[in-house]
Amino acid sequence: MPRVTRAHTVAHHLVQGGLTDLKLSEAAQMKDRPGLYREDGFSVRSYHAPDGTLLTVAGAYGPDWFMTLAQIRHRLEQPYIRYAVTDDAPELRDHELLVRWATGEELRARRQAAAARQAPVVALLRHQEAERAAEDAGQSALF
């Protein structure tokens, strides 16, 4: 059973990431279209999963709501925030994401994917450091 995800905690993480909280009521979130708002931002509401766990739905609003949706996903899936974001819950609309705590397996997979993306850069940096150390020792690379 997933851990409870509180809406105010998710909203706090998003605000800390530079997003604007529109603080829409749940009724407004359920009936309004995301493009009706002049300012890009988000709003959160509670969601009860089929197993009874309280989770959070984060919705993106504004003229560029699709970009805001991507920013929400990116912010909440940072390793130090530890949420998992999905868009496949039955009652979600196109501009909404379901937020829950990430499992240990998901976090490990994210770390491995990040390490794989960074491996070429790390290898290049290590090679440059080795060349610099050789030059400092009075040796030069022979070509």
Side-chain angles (χ1 to χ4, degrees):
M1 184 162 115
R3 288 176 42 193
V4 170
T5 307
R6 290 183 171 76
H8 69 276
T9 306
V10 172
H12 173 74
H13 287 300
L14 293 173
V15 168
Q16 292 297 315
L19 294 166
T20 304
D21 188 355
L22 299 177
K23 297 181 182 177
L24 301 175
S25 67
E26 188 171 332
Q29 291 179 46
M30 299 297 277
K31 73 176 177 99
D32 288 347
R33 293 192 324 256
L36 292 178
Y37 296 89
R38 291 180 181 223
E39 182 180 7
D40 287 322
F42 73 93
S43 198
V44 294
R45 63 182 164 87
S46 296
Y47 172 82
H48 289 280
D51 66 355
T53 305
L54 182 65
L55 301 176
T56 299
V57 172
Y61 298 89
D64 196 8
W65 65 267
F66 194 75
M67 180 57 85
T68 304
L69 194 69
Q71 291 172 340
I72 290 171
R73 179 181 296 271
H74 176 73
R75 174 69 181 166
L76 293 178
E77 289 188 339
Q78 293 298 315
Y80 51 88
I81 296 180
R82 300 182 178 198
Y83 284 120
V85 179
T86 60
D87 56 2
D88 59 355
E91 300 167 15
L92 293 182
R93 296 175 24 212
D94 289 340
H95 67 284
E96 295 178 325
L97 296 169
L98 182 65
V99 181
R100 63 172 176 74
W101 285 100
T103 63
E105 292 174 14
E106 290 170 327
L107 294 172
R108 272 190 295 283
R110 283 186 207 165
R111 282 193 299 270
Q112 290 172 348
R117 282 191 310 270
Q118 295 170 354
V121 175
V122 171
L124 179 63
L125 290 173
R126 287 191 178 141
H127 179 71
Q128 289 174 346
E129 287 175 2
E131 284 181 351
R132 188 174 304 123
E135 288 175 3
D136 290 345
Q139 302 172 358
S140 61
L142 297 175
F143 294 99

